[in-house]
Amino acid sequence: MDELWPPPSPEVADAIRSLCQRLMSKTDAMIDALTPPTLVAQNDPALLADASLAEEDRELNRSDLVQWLTANVQQPGRRVEPYVGPRATAYINVLVSRGIAPDFVGAWRVALGMGWRRWLEECAAEFTDRDLLVDVLDVSAKSLVQYALDSVLALREASLAAAMGNADAEAIALIQLIAGGAPMAQDLAEGRLHYRMGRCHTGLVLWIDDPRHVDALDLAVAAVSTPASDRSTLVARASTTSRWIWLSGANIPDPYQVEQAMATAPGVRGAVGRPGHGLEGFRSSHQDALAAQALVNRLTSDRQFTAYADVELIDALTKDRAGARRFVINTLGPLAEADPALRQALLTYVQCGFNTTRAAAALYVHRNTVERRVSRANELSAVKVEDNPAHLAAALLVLDIAPGILATASN
């Protein structure tokens, strides 16, 4: 790439190199701060609704940050060439195939503002020599701004290349339209997707956290898509790390049979929506599954399989993480930090309609054990089961899905 400004002095170069080396150990925190506002700035609801796409966007941000820091360790203060690697290329291909056109300029404008503010703070804390500080800021500003311009151009070129080479774009774009609620004739959708719409549908999202487990993801897709005489399956490649699946048939598929099928694919996680009928059911079940996936990712839960019907209340409660944390603490009191077996016994007891025998069977323990645990848990809880079982069950469910929520002081 052409150099557009003179190289820095050795002293300035050493200062930039030293600062970038130190920031390399802080990339996780920096990306955590950058990702939410840049995601919003891209002004596309599909990115906010799909947790797998949001994660790919986060990895793109990480790649951009690491590329600039690494380049400035090797050649401080020089023009940095953007790197659009295999994972970023695959992500761009998915966006294009789904008709998603993020505002990369808007995202980079936000990222540049936040990044420059962080860089100013680090420089001000590090350099007491005024002349050195001015020189470092001068050359690093040139490098950062040019990197943003070059990166936007590289993303546009990658998007154009993807648009020219995507053979499956029409089918995936049609799925995106239906899932997004666009008006659609049923016979048109069926003809193009080769999938029957006038039946009951169950929407699934399968995904992996590590792209290296893509083979396991394909195995899981095959396992849950096993053909049946009265069932049809539609699979869409939503991203490099996730798949959208619809199962339809005369009978509603049992989500827990899907969970059992997935057990053969370690590292793969799944979310299932409530069943629905026709085009509207196709859409609503899919949106449920996406919401369950987003809940699991938002709460950094390690759950392998989540049915939205089981967590819909928790989804609403935990949109405000700090508020959810206060709700759990205020409801459970000392029980929130007690033995998890006590909380599980009390939750199961409530879910089983306050029936000790049924709870014991669900927990595979003696009913006397359930009685002891429930009694002890109720003693510890700030809200008693006899006073407000609904609040108590909700708080226990939040903690069951996201045990780490208590460690968050504020958000």
Side-chain angles (χ1 to χ4, degrees):
M1 300 184 75
D2 295 336
E3 294 293 350
L4 304 179
W5 57 90
S9 67
E11 184 182 16
V12 171
D14 287 343
I16 293 174
R17 178 182 294 110
S18 174
L19 194 53
C20 288
Q21 287 174 331
R22 191 166 75 248
L23 286 175
M24 286 290 289
S25 65
K26 302 178 181 180
T27 54
D28 284 344
M30 295 170 69
I31 292 302
D32 286 343
L34 276 172
T35 296
T38 56
L39 199 61
V40 172
Q42 290 177 72
N43 196 31
D44 197 303
L47 288 178
L48 296 172
D50 190 325
S52 291
L53 288 185
E55 181 60 27
E56 291 303 304
D57 184 77
R58 186 180 192 279
E59 287 303 313
L60 182 60
N61 289 340
R62 177 192 295 279
S63 175
D64 289 338
L65 175 60
V66 170
Q67 174 72 359
W68 190 83
L69 290 174
T70 302
N72 273 275
V73 170
Q74 297 169 348
Q75 292 183 303
R78 309 310 292 139
R79 187 177 182 182
V80 176
E81 183 171 4
Y83 173 66
V84 182
R87 184 168 183 178
T89 300
Y91 173 54
I92 297 298
N93 287 338
V94 167
L95 294 180
V96 171
S97 72
R98 289 174 55 180
I100 300 173
D103 183 357
F104 290 128
V105 174
W108 261 103
R109 185 180 296 115
V110 171
L112 188 61
M114 295 180 66
W116 180 245
R117 173 60 183 256
R118 177 62 184 270
W119 184 257
L120 285 176
E121 292 171 348
E122 295 287 341
C123 288
E126 179 72 11
F127 309 124
T128 56
D129 184 323
R130 180 182 178 278
D131 292 336
L132 176 62
L133 175 61
V134 169
D135 288 342
V136 166
L137 293 177
D138 178 54
V139 72
S140 56
K142 293 183 175 72
S143 180
L144 266 175
V145 171
Q146 191 60 47
Y147 183 57
L149 295 173
D150 290 339
S151 295
V152 170
L153 179 60
L155 289 171
R156 284 176 172 169
E157 290 176 346
S159 298
L160 179 60
M164 294 175 64
N166 196 318
D168 298 323
E170 182 180 356
I172 297 175
L174 185 65
I175 290 172
Q176 183 75 18
L177 285 173
I178 300 170
M184 182 71 59
Q186 181 172 302
D187 57 350
L188 173 64
E190 290 183 341
R192 292 191 178 179
L193 297 176
H194 306 290
Y195 175 81
R196 294 178 62 181
M197 289 290 176
R199 305 204 292 179
C200 285
H201 308 276
T202 297
L204 294 160
V205 177
L206 303 188
W207 76 97
I208 49 177
D209 297 320
D210 188 340
R212 293 173 297 181
H213 294 159
V214 69
D215 290 342
L217 179 60
D218 292 337
L219 287 174
V221 171
V224 302
S225 304
T226 301
S229 58
D230 66 337
R231 196 174 81 190
S232 58
T233 304
L234 177 64
V235 178
R237 187 178 184 275
S239 74
T240 53
T241 58
S242 71
R243 304 289 184 269
W244 293 349
I245 303 173
W246 287 264
L247 306 175
S248 72
N251 298 311
I252 298 173
D254 184 347
Y256 299 102
Q257 290 179 354
V258 175
E259 182 179 10
Q260 291 173 354
M262 284 181 52
T264 60
V268 180
R269 304 213 276 170
V272 60
R274 294 166 297 191
H277 189 272
L279 282 169
E280 176 57 26
F282 180 94
R283 183 200 68 78
S284 63
S285 189
H286 173 65
Q287 296 296 344
D288 281 355
L290 286 179
Q293 180 195 25
L295 167 73
V296 168
N297 285 0
R298 183 174 72 243
L299 299 180
T300 60
S301 172
D302 60 0
R303 275 194 163 201
Q304 184 184 19
F305 187 82
T306 304
Y308 189 67
D310 294 339
V311 298
E312 184 175 11
L313 174 61
I314 307 308
D315 186 31
L317 283 173
T318 57
K319 291 290 175 63
D320 173 8
R321 189 181 177 100
R325 178 178 182 272
R326 288 193 299 273
F327 171 72
V328 169
I329 292 174
N330 292 338
T331 302
L332 300 184
L335 180 59
E337 302 283 0
D339 184 349
L342 297 180
R343 294 195 299 271
Q344 188 60 53
L346 184 55
L347 176 60
T348 305
Y349 174 68
V350 175
Q351 291 174 328
C352 289
F354 312 102
N355 187 305
T356 305
T357 302
R358 287 176 55 199
L363 293 169
Y364 300 102
V365 297
H366 194 277
R367 67 187 311 276
N368 290 344
T369 301
V370 172
E371 289 178 350
R372 287 196 302 271
R373 291 177 181 175
V374 166
S375 177
R376 178 56 180 156
N378 203 35
E379 289 176 5
L380 292 172
S381 181
V383 173
K384 307 305 179 185
V385 67
E386 61 271 17
D387 295 332
N388 199 330
H391 275 212
L392 189 61
L396 289 167
L397 273 172
V398 171
L399 203 52
D400 181 57
I401 293 170
I405 200 168
L406 294 180
T408 305
S410 63
N411 244 340

